[in-house]
Amino acid sequence: MTTHPTTPVENEPENENEPENEPESESGPGAGPAPRVLTEAELSRLLGEQQFGVLASVRRTGHPHLTTVLYSWDAEERVVRVSSTADRLKPRQLRTDPHAALHVHGQDVFSFAVAEGEAEVSAPAAVPGDAVSRELLSLTPGFEDPAEEAAFLAQVVADRRVVIRIRVSRLYGTALDIPAAD
């Protein structure tokens, strides 16, 4: 039997083991937009718009410890502040190893910001109205009633509250800009 060479038909594989060249579809892996790196201003704005984030610290074993926290972002100082109590795990770990990161989600699951830096932990609030209790007060919306403010200041002393300050040395994050469906 004689075989004759044939010319492959366009878009037909030359070899049975090669995939066919199908036109690219508008859905499927790799078909959407790529993540966009957020600018410094966008990252700072995202940190300022949110109140909750996930604080990562390092355990003695080297494993990460993650906890959801209420935080405050000071863009001018590049400092994240978190209130905690002196006997909690977060302050103890950060005194041992100050490396920390705060992960904050954006308005959707496709955007986030991370603030990395070294943390310092204040001494516990010792007297209502001392520097630590005033710093803790600055993390609240404030009180119109002086009696409520005095009660807050007394409570932070009773709770042995501390301020965790993360001096941010690196900000990074991305967003995935997905066009709205028609």
Side-chain angles (χ1 to χ4, degrees):
M1 174 157 119
T2 313
T3 8
H4 300 285
T6 59
T7 306
V9 178
E10 191 174 318
N11 291 333
E12 184 178 293
E14 291 182 32
N15 178 330
E16 286 182 39
N17 296 329
E18 289 181 21
E20 292 186 30
N21 293 333
E22 295 179 19
E24 290 189 29
S25 68
E26 291 189 21
S27 65
R36 176 177 58 82
V37 175
L38 296 176
T39 66
E40 185 86 10
E42 289 172 313
L43 292 163
S44 186
R45 185 172 47 255
L46 179 57
L47 285 167
E49 290 172 351
Q50 300 297 330
Q51 294 180 331
F52 290 94
V54 177
L55 178 63
S57 57
V58 183
R59 295 177 184 266
R60 282 186 208 150
T61 63
H63 293 92
H65 175 258
L66 305 172
T67 184
T68 302
V69 296
L70 180 66
Y71 73 92
S72 174
W73 167 241
D74 184 328
E76 193 172 304
E77 289 186 39
R78 289 181 62 97
V79 172
V80 170
R81 287 182 173 83
V82 175
S83 172
S84 188
T85 57
D87 58 342
R88 291 251 169 126
L89 187 58
K90 290 182 301 279
R92 291 195 327 255
Q93 287 176 334
L94 292 168
R95 283 186 183 111
T96 302
D97 184 339
H99 296 96
L102 179 75
H103 176 275
V104 177
H105 66 85
Q107 293 182 356
D108 56 49
V109 298
F110 302 110
S111 62
F112 70 93
V114 175
E116 287 183 350
E118 293 202 7
E120 57 188 41
V121 181
S122 74
V127 177
D130 67 6
V132 174
S133 63
R134 289 281 168 198
E135 188 173 2
L136 290 162
L137 179 62
S138 76
L139 303 180
T140 72
F143 300 94
E144 289 184 29
D145 182 357
E148 288 179 4
E149 182 177 305
F152 173 84
L153 294 172
Q155 189 64 51
V156 298
V157 171
D159 291 346
R160 300 191 66 237
R161 290 224 159 248
V162 297
V163 178
I164 298 169
R165 297 177 206 94
I166 303 171
R167 306 236 176 249
V168 176
S169 56
R170 180 176 179 225
L171 284 175
Y172 63 91
T174 63
L176 190 58
D177 301 321
I178 297 177
D182 293 332

